[in-house]
Amino acid sequence: MTLFEELKERGLLAQLTNEEEIKNMINEGKATFYIGFDPTADSLHVGHFMALCLMKRLQMAGNKPIALLGGGTGMIGDPSGKSDMRKMLTKEDIQHNIDCFKKQMSRFIDFSDGKALMVNNADWLLDLNYVELLREVGACFSVNNMLRAECYKQRMEKGLSFLEFNYMIMQSYDFYKLFQEYGCNMQFGGDDQWSNMLGGTELIRRKLGKDAHAMTITLLLNSEGKKMGKTEKGAVWLDPEKTSPYEFYQYWRNVADADVMKCIKMLTFLPMEEIRSMDTWEGAQLNEAKDILAYELTSLVHGKEEAEKAREASRALFGGGGNNANIPTTELTEADLEDGAINIMNLLVKGGQATSKSDARRNVEQGGVSVDDVKITDVAKVISKEELATGIVVKRGKKSFMKYVM
């Protein structure tokens, strides 16, 4: 099986501008491709995961990735898929986020010896002269066509700022610059980026002529990647300080039955022969598949040692044996206590198992909280210093566990 055939079987490709050229370039290791990451937070999250895995797959086959960090486009904000305008970030915030991204990307992509590049579009976007940009690039874009783009249409009723309206031009200019300066001949992105990416392809054709057509190839990632990583507590981050390895493991361990094989195909590096043999699994076997998924992805992001610890903790909590020493733990201090004890609602908030005291109260009153397997329904319940000295395990709902100690 060729790499291109494998990408299709794994469900990673949704739309392509020129399939035959794309297939040949990828299979022969001749693609220099980019994927953009706007630094809107100080950590990558699960929504970026499929793009990172794809970059790794292509690099392993000899193709050259360019990780484009949006230090310039991040100053504007992408309206695609957003119902409201993004919060404006300062240059200092953006630079801090970029530094965090670089560290995390290096776990997936080999940047040594020029095997991959990491560039920042602030290097060319922030120094652009407005009038020169209008003359050089603005004439290549039809406002009528731009307004028909899905990324703008969904915002027209609520309001689209002129600032965000320029995002397509900025992203298109990125591909133009990467093509010229780094020989970048391919771009990848989520399906909400389709109009922006086609804009880049068209800009190169308009500026450099039809002879550039063979090198301006656009691929599109399946939209499933954009749907991943949202929980009731927010995003699932790749930074262990934001989402612990155990929480990361549990997120994948609890994916829906209908999604587990899809995730294994898209995100793991298990051979397709092995994955095909799992396609008929059902019932209890799906739990085994979820465990495989969770272990493989936690190993990829946090390393095998942390994946083993998370698996052990999960088995300890859910009755399959294992060492409960690896359960996520919150350490309390004297400052957290009042008269030598802590109220159950304060405890849930302290450990991040509830977003607020009112959220904690609701969970307790509805019978969704237990301490060492004993259900708690009294919001006045307190946990003593003596109990905390030996450690307690608090369960909230079916999936949230936390060990509390002093």
Side-chain angles (χ1 to χ4, degrees), residues 277-353:
S277 70
M278 300 164 64
D279 267 338
T280 57
W281 286 11
E282 55 186 28
Q285 287 180 306
L286 285 179
N287 287 329
E288 183 181 346
K290 291 177 184 181
D291 184 70
I292 291 171
L293 172 68
Y295 180 81
E296 290 293 324
L297 299 190
T298 306
S299 295
L300 188 60
V301 175
H302 299 294
K304 289 188 179 298
E305 183 178 350
E306 291 297 334
E308 291 286 356
K309 290 179 181 179
R311 176 182 269 174
E312 284 290 311
S314 181
R315 288 175 176 174
L317 288 170
F318 293 101
N323 182 1
N324 68 8
N326 295 316
I327 296 172
T329 301
T330 295
E331 293 190 15
L332 303 177
T333 66
E334 291 286 350
D336 297 312
L337 308 182
E338 184 175 343
D339 297 327
I342 184 170
N343 176 270
I344 186 64
M345 293 187 294
N346 292 334
L347 189 72
L348 290 167
V349 173
K350 177 69 178 179
Q353 290 184 282

Coordinates of all heavy atoms in Angstrom, one line a residue, residues 277-353:
S277 N -8.2 -5.8 11.3 CA -8.6 -7.0 12.1 C -9.5 -6.6 13.3 O -10.2 -7.4 13.9 CB -7.4 -7.8 12.6 OG -6.7 -7.0 13.6
M278 N -9.5 -5.3 13.7 CA -10.3 -4.8 14.8 C -11.6 -4.3 14.3 O -12.5 -4.0 15.1 CB -9.5 -3.7 15.5 CG -8.2 -4.2 16.1 SD -7.1 -2.8 16.5 CE -8.1 -2.0 17.8
D279 N -11.8 -4.1 13.0 CA -13.0 -3.5 12.5 C -14.3 -4.2 12.9 O -15.4 -3.6 12.9 CB -12.9 -3.4 10.9 CG -12.4 -2.1 10.5 OD1 -12.4 -1.1 11.3 OD2 -11.9 -2.0 9.4
T280 N -14.2 -5.5 13.1 CA -15.4 -6.3 13.4 C -15.7 -6.4 14.9 O -16.6 -7.0 15.4 CB -15.4 -7.7 12.9 OG1 -14.2 -8.3 13.4 CG2 -15.3 -7.7 11.3
W281 N -14.8 -5.7 15.7 CA -15.0 -5.8 17.2 C -16.2 -5.1 17.6 O -16.6 -4.1 17.1 CB -13.8 -5.1 17.9 CG -12.5 -6.0 17.8 CD1 -12.3 -7.1 17.0 CD2 -11.3 -5.7 18.5 NE1 -11.0 -7.5 17.2 CE2 -10.4 -6.7 18.1 CE3 -10.9 -4.7 19.4 CZ2 -9.1 -6.7 18.6 CZ3 -9.6 -4.8 19.9 CH2 -8.7 -5.8 19.5
E282 N -16.9 -5.7 18.6 CA -18.1 -5.1 19.2 C -18.2 -5.5 20.7 O -17.4 -6.3 21.2 CB -19.3 -5.5 18.4 CG -19.5 -7.0 18.3 CD -20.7 -7.4 17.4 OE1 -21.0 -6.6 16.5 OE2 -21.2 -8.5 17.6
G283 N -19.1 -4.9 21.4 CA -19.3 -5.2 22.8 C -18.1 -5.0 23.6 O -17.5 -3.9 23.6
A284 N -17.7 -6.0 24.4 CA -16.6 -5.8 25.3 C -15.3 -5.6 24.6 O -14.3 -4.9 25.1 CB -16.4 -7.1 26.2
Q285 N -15.2 -6.0 23.3 CA -14.0 -5.8 22.6 C -13.7 -4.3 22.3 O -12.6 -3.9 22.1 CB -14.0 -6.6 21.2 CG -13.9 -8.1 21.4 CD -14.0 -8.8 20.1 OE1 -14.9 -8.6 19.3 NE2 -12.9 -9.6 19.7
L286 N -14.8 -3.6 22.2 CA -14.7 -2.1 22.0 C -14.0 -1.4 23.2 O -13.3 -0.5 23.0 CB -16.0 -1.5 21.7 CG -16.7 -1.7 20.4 CD1 -18.0 -1.0 20.3 CD2 -15.7 -1.2 19.3
N287 N -14.2 -2.0 24.4 CA -13.5 -1.4 25.5 C -12.0 -1.7 25.4 O -11.1 -0.9 25.8 CB -14.0 -2.1 26.8 CG -15.4 -1.5 27.2 OD1 -15.7 -0.4 26.9 ND2 -16.2 -2.4 27.8
E288 N -11.6 -2.9 24.9 CA -10.2 -3.1 24.6 C -9.7 -2.2 23.5 O -8.5 -1.7 23.7 CB -10.1 -4.6 24.1 CG -8.6 -5.0 23.9 CD -8.4 -6.4 23.4 OE1 -9.4 -7.2 23.5 OE2 -7.3 -6.8 23.0
A289 N -10.5 -1.9 22.5 CA -10.0 -1.0 21.5 C -9.8 0.4 22.0 O -8.9 1.1 21.7 CB -11.1 -0.9 20.3
K290 N -10.7 0.8 23.0 CA -10.5 2.2 23.6 C -9.3 2.2 24.4 O -8.6 3.3 24.5 CB -11.8 2.5 24.5 CG -13.0 2.7 23.7 CD -14.2 2.9 24.6 CE -15.5 3.1 23.8 NZ -16.7 3.3 24.7
D291 N -9.0 1.1 25.1 CA -7.7 1.1 25.9 C -6.5 1.2 25.0 O -5.5 1.9 25.3 CB -7.7 -0.2 26.7 CG -6.5 -0.3 27.6 OD1 -6.5 0.5 28.6 OD2 -5.6 -1.1 27.4
I292 N -6.6 0.5 23.9 CA -5.5 0.6 22.9 C -5.3 2.0 22.4 O -4.2 2.6 22.3 CB -5.7 -0.4 21.7 CG1 -5.6 -1.8 22.2 CG2 -4.7 -0.1 20.6 CD1 -6.0 -2.9 21.2
L293 N -6.4 2.6 22.0 CA -6.4 4.0 21.5 C -5.8 5.0 22.6 O -4.9 5.7 22.3 CB -7.8 4.5 21.2 CG -8.0 5.9 20.9 CD1 -7.4 6.3 19.5 CD2 -9.5 6.3 20.8
A294 N -6.3 4.9 23.8 CA -5.8 5.7 24.9 C -4.4 5.6 25.1 O -3.6 6.5 25.3 CB -6.7 5.5 26.1
Y295 N -3.9 4.3 25.2 CA -2.5 4.0 25.5 C -1.6 4.6 24.3 O -0.6 5.2 24.6 CB -2.3 2.5 25.7 CG -0.8 2.2 25.9 CD1 -0.3 2.3 27.2 CD2 0.0 1.8 24.9 CE1 1.0 2.0 27.5 CE2 1.3 1.5 25.2 CZ 1.8 1.6 26.5 OH 3.2 1.4 26.7
E296 N -2.0 4.3 23.1 CA -1.2 4.7 21.9 C -1.0 6.2 21.9 O 0.1 6.8 21.7 CB -1.8 4.2 20.6 CG -1.7 2.7 20.5 CD -0.2 2.2 20.3 OE1 0.6 2.9 19.6 OE2 0.1 1.1 20.8
L297 N -2.1 7.0 22.1 CA -2.1 8.4 22.0 C -1.4 9.1 23.2 O -0.7 10.1 23.0 CB -3.5 9.0 21.8 CG -4.2 8.5 20.5 CD1 -5.5 9.3 20.3 CD2 -3.3 8.5 19.3
T298 N -1.6 8.5 24.4 CA -0.9 9.0 25.5 C 0.6 8.8 25.4 O 1.4 9.7 25.8 CB -1.4 8.4 26.8 OG1 -2.9 8.6 26.9 CG2 -0.8 9.1 28.1
S299 N 1.0 7.7 24.9 CA 2.4 7.4 24.6 C 3.0 8.4 23.7 O 4.1 8.9 23.8 CB 2.6 6.0 24.1 OG 2.2 5.0 25.0
L300 N 2.3 8.7 22.6 CA 2.7 9.6 21.6 C 2.9 11.0 22.1 O 3.9 11.7 21.8 CB 1.7 9.7 20.4 CG 2.1 10.4 19.2 CD1 3.3 9.8 18.6 CD2 1.0 10.4 18.2
V301 N 2.0 11.5 23.0 CA 2.1 12.8 23.5 C 3.0 12.9 24.8 O 3.7 13.9 24.9 CB 0.7 13.4 23.8 CG1 0.7 14.7 24.5 CG2 -0.1 13.4 22.5
H302 N 2.8 12.0 25.7 CA 3.5 12.1 27.0 C 4.6 11.0 27.3 O 5.2 11.1 28.3 CB 2.4 12.0 28.1 CG 1.4 13.1 28.1 ND1 1.7 14.4 28.3 CD2 0.1 13.1 27.8 CE1 0.6 15.2 28.1 NE2 -0.4 14.4 27.9
G303 N 4.8 10.1 26.4 CA 5.8 9.1 26.6 C 5.2 7.8 27.1 O 4.1 7.8 27.8
K304 N 5.9 6.7 26.9 CA 5.4 5.4 27.4 C 5.3 5.2 28.9 O 4.3 4.6 29.4 CB 6.3 4.3 26.8 CG 6.2 4.1 25.3 CD 6.9 2.8 24.8 CE 6.8 2.6 23.3 NZ 5.4 2.4 22.9
E305 N 6.2 5.8 29.6 CA 6.1 5.7 31.1 C 4.8 6.4 31.6 O 4.2 5.8 32.5 CB 7.4 6.4 31.7 CG 7.4 6.3 33.2 CD 8.6 6.9 33.8 OE1 9.6 7.3 33.1 OE2 8.7 7.1 35.1
E306 N 4.5 7.6 31.2 CA 3.3 8.2 31.6 C 2.0 7.4 31.1 O 1.0 7.4 31.8 CB 3.2 9.6 31.1 CG 4.2 10.6 31.8 CD 4.0 10.7 33.3 OE1 2.9 10.5 33.8 OE2 5.0 11.0 34.0
A307 N 2.1 6.9 29.9 CA 1.0 6.1 29.4 C 0.7 4.8 30.3 O -0.4 4.5 30.6 CB 1.2 5.7 28.0
E308 N 1.8 4.2 30.7 CA 1.7 3.0 31.6 C 1.1 3.4 32.9 O 0.2 2.7 33.5 CB 3.1 2.4 31.8 CG 3.7 1.7 30.6 CD 3.0 0.4 30.3 OE1 2.1 0.0 31.1 OE2 3.4 -0.2 29.3
K309 N 1.5 4.5 33.5 CA 1.0 5.0 34.8 C -0.5 5.3 34.6 O -1.3 5.0 35.5 CB 1.7 6.3 35.2 CG 3.1 6.1 35.7 CD 3.7 7.4 36.1 CE 5.2 7.3 36.6 NZ 5.8 8.6 36.9
A310 N -0.9 6.0 33.5 CA -2.3 6.3 33.3 C -3.1 5.0 33.2 O -4.3 4.9 33.7 CB -2.4 7.2 32.1
R311 N -2.6 4.1 32.4 CA -3.3 2.8 32.3 C -3.5 2.1 33.6 O -4.6 1.6 33.9 CB -2.6 1.9 31.3 CG -3.2 0.5 31.1 CD -2.4 -0.3 30.2 NE -2.8 -0.2 28.8 CZ -2.2 -0.7 27.7 NH1 -1.1 -1.4 27.9 NH2 -2.7 -0.6 26.5
E312 N -2.5 2.1 34.4 CA -2.6 1.4 35.8 C -3.6 2.1 36.6 O -4.4 1.5 37.3 CB -1.2 1.5 36.4 CG -0.2 0.5 35.9 CD -0.5 -0.9 36.3 OE1 -0.8 -1.1 37.5 OE2 -0.5 -1.8 35.4
A313 N -3.6 3.5 36.6 CA -4.6 4.2 37.4 C -6.0 3.9 36.9 O -6.9 3.8 37.8 CB -4.2 5.7 37.3
S314 N -6.2 3.9 35.6 CA -7.5 3.6 35.1 C -8.0 2.3 35.5 O -9.2 2.1 35.9 CB -7.5 3.8 33.6 OG -8.7 3.5 33.0
R315 N -7.1 1.3 35.4 CA -7.5 -0.1 35.8 C -7.8 -0.2 37.3 O -8.7 -0.9 37.7 CB -6.4 -1.1 35.4 CG -6.4 -1.3 33.9 CD -5.2 -2.2 33.5 NE -5.3 -2.4 32.0 CZ -4.3 -3.0 31.3 NH1 -3.3 -3.5 32.0 NH2 -4.4 -3.2 30.0
A316 N -7.1 0.5 38.1 CA -7.3 0.5 39.5 C -8.7 1.1 39.9 O -9.4 0.6 40.7 CB -6.2 1.3 40.3
L317 N -9.1 2.2 39.2 CA -10.3 2.9 39.5 C -11.5 2.1 38.9 O -12.6 2.1 39.5 CB -10.3 4.3 38.9 CG -9.4 5.3 39.6 CD1 -9.3 6.5 38.8 CD2 -10.0 5.6 41.0
F318 N -11.3 1.4 37.8 CA -12.5 0.8 37.2 C -12.5 -0.7 37.3 O -13.2 -1.4 36.6 CB -12.5 1.2 35.7 CG -12.8 2.6 35.4 CD1 -11.7 3.5 35.2 CD2 -14.1 3.2 35.6 CE1 -12.0 4.9 35.0 CE2 -14.3 4.5 35.4 CZ -13.3 5.4 35.1
G319 N -11.8 -1.2 38.4 CA -12.0 -2.6 38.8 C -11.2 -3.6 38.0 O -11.4 -4.8 38.2
G320 N -10.3 -3.2 37.2 CA -9.5 -4.1 36.5 C -8.1 -4.4 37.1 O -7.2 -4.9 36.4
G321 N -7.9 -4.1 38.4 CA -6.6 -4.2 39.0 C -5.8 -3.0 38.6 O -6.2 -2.1 38.0
G322 N -4.5 -3.0 39.1 CA -3.7 -1.9 38.9 C -3.3 -1.2 40.1 O -3.8 -1.4 41.2
N323 N -2.5 -0.2 40.0 CA -1.9 0.5 41.1 C -2.5 1.9 41.2 O -2.4 2.8 40.4 CB -0.4 0.7 40.9 CG 0.3 1.4 42.1 OD1 -0.3 1.7 43.1 ND2 1.6 1.6 42.0
N324 N -3.3 2.1 42.4 CA -4.0 3.4 42.5 C -3.1 4.6 42.9 O -3.5 5.7 43.0 CB -5.2 3.3 43.5 CG -4.7 3.1 44.9 OD1 -3.5 3.2 45.2 ND2 -5.7 2.8 45.8
A325 N -1.8 4.3 43.0 CA -0.8 5.3 43.3 C -0.7 6.3 42.1 O -0.2 7.4 42.3 CB 0.6 4.7 43.6
N326 N -1.1 5.9 41.0 CA -1.0 6.7 39.8 C -2.3 7.5 39.5 O -2.4 8.2 38.5 CB -0.7 5.8 38.6 CG 0.7 5.2 38.7 OD1 1.6 5.8 39.0 ND2 0.8 3.9 38.4
I327 N -3.3 7.4 40.4 CA -4.5 8.2 40.2 C -4.1 9.7 40.3 O -3.3 10.1 41.2 CB -5.5 7.8 41.3 CG1 -6.0 6.4 41.1 CG2 -6.7 8.8 41.2 CD1 -6.8 5.8 42.2
P328 N -4.7 10.6 39.5 CA -4.5 12.0 39.7 C -4.7 12.5 41.1 O -5.7 12.1 41.8 CB -5.5 12.7 38.8 CG -5.8 11.6 37.8 CD -5.7 10.3 38.5
T329 N -3.8 13.3 41.6 CA -3.8 13.6 43.1 C -3.7 15.1 43.3 O -3.0 15.8 42.6 CB -2.6 13.0 43.8 OG1 -2.6 11.6 43.6 CG2 -2.6 13.3 45.2
T330 N -4.6 15.6 44.2 CA -4.5 17.0 44.6 C -4.0 17.0 46.1 O -4.6 16.4 46.9 CB -5.9 17.7 44.5 OG1 -6.3 17.7 43.2 CG2 -5.9 19.1 45.1
E331 N -2.9 17.8 46.3 CA -2.4 17.9 47.7 C -2.9 19.1 48.3 O -2.9 20.2 47.8 CB -0.9 17.9 47.6 CG -0.2 16.6 47.1 CD 1.3 16.6 47.3 OE1 1.8 17.4 48.1 OE2 1.9 15.7 46.7
L332 N -3.5 18.9 49.5 CA -4.0 20.1 50.3 C -3.0 20.5 51.4 O -2.2 19.7 51.8 CB -5.3 19.6 50.9 CG -6.4 19.1 50.0 CD1 -7.7 18.7 50.8 CD2 -6.8 20.2 49.0
T333 N -3.2 21.7 51.8 CA -2.4 22.3 52.9 C -3.3 22.8 54.0 O -4.5 22.8 53.9 CB -1.5 23.4 52.4 OG1 -2.4 24.5 52.0 CG2 -0.7 23.0 51.2
E334 N -2.7 23.2 55.1 CA -3.4 23.7 56.2 C -4.3 24.9 55.8 O -5.4 25.1 56.4 CB -2.5 24.1 57.4 CG -1.8 23.0 58.1 CD -2.7 22.2 59.0 OE1 -3.8 22.7 59.3 OE2 -2.3 21.1 59.5
A335 N -3.8 25.6 54.9 CA -4.5 26.8 54.4 C -5.9 26.5 53.8 O -6.8 27.3 53.7 CB -3.7 27.6 53.4
D336 N -6.0 25.2 53.3 CA -7.2 24.8 52.6 C -8.3 24.4 53.6 O -9.5 24.2 53.3 CB -7.0 23.6 51.7 CG -6.0 24.0 50.5 OD1 -6.3 25.1 49.9 OD2 -5.1 23.3 50.3
L337 N -7.9 24.2 54.9 CA -8.8 23.7 55.9 C -9.4 24.8 56.8 O -8.8 25.8 56.9 CB -8.0 22.7 56.8 CG -7.3 21.5 56.2 CD1 -6.6 20.6 57.2 CD2 -8.2 20.7 55.3
E338 N -10.5 24.4 57.3 CA -11.2 25.3 58.3 C -11.6 24.4 59.5 O -12.4 23.5 59.3 CB -12.4 26.0 57.7 CG -13.1 27.0 58.6 CD -14.2 27.7 58.0 OE1 -14.3 27.7 56.7 OE2 -15.0 28.3 58.7
D339 N -11.0 24.8 60.7 CA -11.3 23.9 61.9 C -10.9 22.5 61.6 O -11.6 21.5 62.0 CB -12.7 24.0 62.3 CG -13.1 25.4 62.7 OD1 -12.3 26.2 63.2 OD2 -14.3 25.8 62.5
G340 N -9.8 22.3 60.9 CA -9.2 20.9 60.7 C -10.0 20.1 59.7 O -9.8 18.9 59.7
A341 N -10.8 20.7 58.9 CA -11.5 19.9 57.9 C -11.8 20.8 56.6 O -11.6 22.0 56.7 CB -12.8 19.4 58.5
I342 N -12.3 20.2 55.6 CA -12.7 20.9 54.4 C -14.0 20.4 53.9 O -14.3 19.2 53.9 CB -11.6 20.7 53.2 CG1 -12.0 21.6 52.0 CG2 -11.4 19.3 52.9 CD1 -10.9 21.7 51.0
N343 N -14.9 21.4 53.5 CA -16.2 21.0 53.1 C -16.2 20.3 51.7 O -15.3 20.6 50.9 CB -17.1 22.3 53.0 CG -18.4 22.1 52.4 OD1 -18.6 22.2 51.1 ND2 -19.4 21.8 53.2
I344 N -17.1 19.4 51.4 CA -17.0 18.6 50.2 C -17.1 19.5 49.0 O -16.5 19.2 47.9 CB -18.2 17.6 50.2 CG1 -18.0 16.6 49.0 CG2 -19.5 18.2 50.3 CD1 -16.8 15.8 48.9
M345 N -17.9 20.6 49.0 CA -18.0 21.5 47.9 C -16.7 22.2 47.6 O -16.3 22.3 46.4 CB -19.1 22.5 48.1 CG -20.5 21.8 48.1 SD -21.9 23.1 48.2 CE -21.6 23.8 49.8
N346 N -16.0 22.7 48.7 CA -14.8 23.3 48.5 C -13.7 22.4 48.0 O -12.8 22.7 47.2 CB -14.3 23.9 49.8 CG -15.1 25.1 50.3 OD1 -15.7 25.8 49.5 ND2 -15.2 25.3 51.6
L347 N -13.8 21.1 48.4 CA -12.9 20.1 48.0 C -13.0 19.8 46.5 O -12.0 19.8 45.7 CB -13.1 18.8 48.7 CG -12.1 17.7 48.5 CD1 -10.8 18.0 49.3 CD2 -12.6 16.3 49.1
L348 N -14.2 19.7 46.0 CA -14.5 19.5 44.5 C -13.9 20.6 43.7 O -13.3 20.4 42.6 CB -16.0 19.3 44.3 CG -16.6 18.0 44.8 CD1 -18.1 18.1 44.7 CD2 -16.1 16.8 44.0
V349 N -14.1 21.9 44.2 CA -13.6 23.0 43.4 C -12.1 23.0 43.5 O -11.4 23.3 42.4 CB -14.2 24.3 44.0 CG1 -13.5 25.5 43.4 CG2 -15.7 24.4 43.8
K350 N -11.5 22.7 44.6 CA -10.1 22.7 44.8 C -9.4 21.8 43.8 O -8.4 22.0 43.2 CB -9.7 22.4 46.2 CG -8.2 22.3 46.5 CD -7.5 23.6 46.4 CE -6.0 23.5 46.8 NZ -5.4 24.8 46.7
G351 N -10.0 20.6 43.6 CA -9.5 19.6 42.8 C -9.9 19.7 41.3 O -9.5 18.8 40.5
G352 N -10.6 20.7 41.0 CA -11.0 20.9 39.6 C -12.1 20.0 39.1 O -12.4 19.8 37.9
Q353 N -12.8 19.3 40.1 CA -13.9 18.4 39.7 C -15.2 19.2 39.6 O -16.2 18.6 39.2 CB -14.0 17.3 40.8 CG -12.8 16.3 40.7 CD -13.0 15.2 41.7 OE1 -12.8 15.3 42.9 NE2 -13.5 14.0 41.2

